[in-house]
Amino acid sequence: MLKILDGGMGAELAARGITERGGLWSAGALLSAPEAVYQLHVDYLRAGADIVTTNTYSTVPSYLTKAGLADQFDELAALAASLARRAADRAGAAVAGSLPPLNESYRPDLVPSSDVARPIYRALAMALEPDVDLFLCETMSSVQEARNAAIEAVEVSLRGRRQPVYVSFTLGDAAGSGLRSGESIESAIGGLADLPIAGVLLNCSPPESLEAGLEELRSLSDVRVGCYANRMAEVPDGWTLDNDLIIDYREDLSSALLAQWARRCVERGAEIIGGCCGVSPRDIAVVVETLRSARASR
């Protein structure tokens, strides 16, 4: 059964004047405006999302260190999970616990070693576990990054309530270019073969790149697949959240075009569809209505 994932968190909070680019990014809202995070979850659910994602994309030590809060990352993660849980329970929806990159997004060269990464992922998964229905290792730029997160999520799940673990890879901006690391989608699937993964997704890349990747992913995977695109233009080489390189948002990608992309992906086998950076509740509402209309016309 098709499930609708929510859209972006950090960019939407910024658009609402809650957070700013750089610094703590979306984690800042947990400190200054937790009810705004809760309200954004509610807005996505009202738009038709079946799954909301915890606001834990930047509740990791590398971000929190900027404010001297690295030792509070598990507390903030637990708060984020509880906010998502409260919203989801009102709507009978599910909560995905986000396990993100630990340094910067789209930067396989900055992925920490396994002995550094895995204890952090373990603690993050443990903080999320009481309130989430699934774990989502997202925006993974390399096979090693994905394994670091997935191994720990699986371990915590097996020791707890056995929530399913999903892994989502970010692809290069150009269609057919594989992971941001240059590794192939086939290598990504192979790198997870020894783990009990419930699904493999593609995310935080242009719709065109994810649509091409989905074709290959579907042919290689026997688990659930899906994708959630961003609205960003090309990611500059060497980008970090705090440097002077800017990622622009695409003006050509309307809600209607995003919805048509989602429809094509579903027709190609996507079982989970949603949005990432720059995708708002308004966009998700159009996606939901378009997919509902497509089903009704069959």
Side-chain angles (χ1 to χ4, degrees), residues 224-241:
R224 300 188 77 189
V225 300
C227 45
Y228 48 116
N230 64 32
R231 194 182 246 116
M232 300 187 309
E234 184 175 355
V235 177
D237 290 340
W239 178 88
T240 69
L241 188 66

Side-chain angles (χ1 to χ4, degrees), residues 31 37 40 42-43 53 64 93 96 119 122 140 147 176 181 186 203 211-212 219 227 271-272 285:
L31 297 166
V37 175
L40 181 50
V42 170
D43 290 347
T53 308
L64 297 178
R122 185 182 311 126
M140 301 285 100
R147 285 189 60 81
S181 62
E186 184 175 9
N203 83 293
E211 188 172 350
S219 69
C227 45
E271 299 171 78
I272 299 174

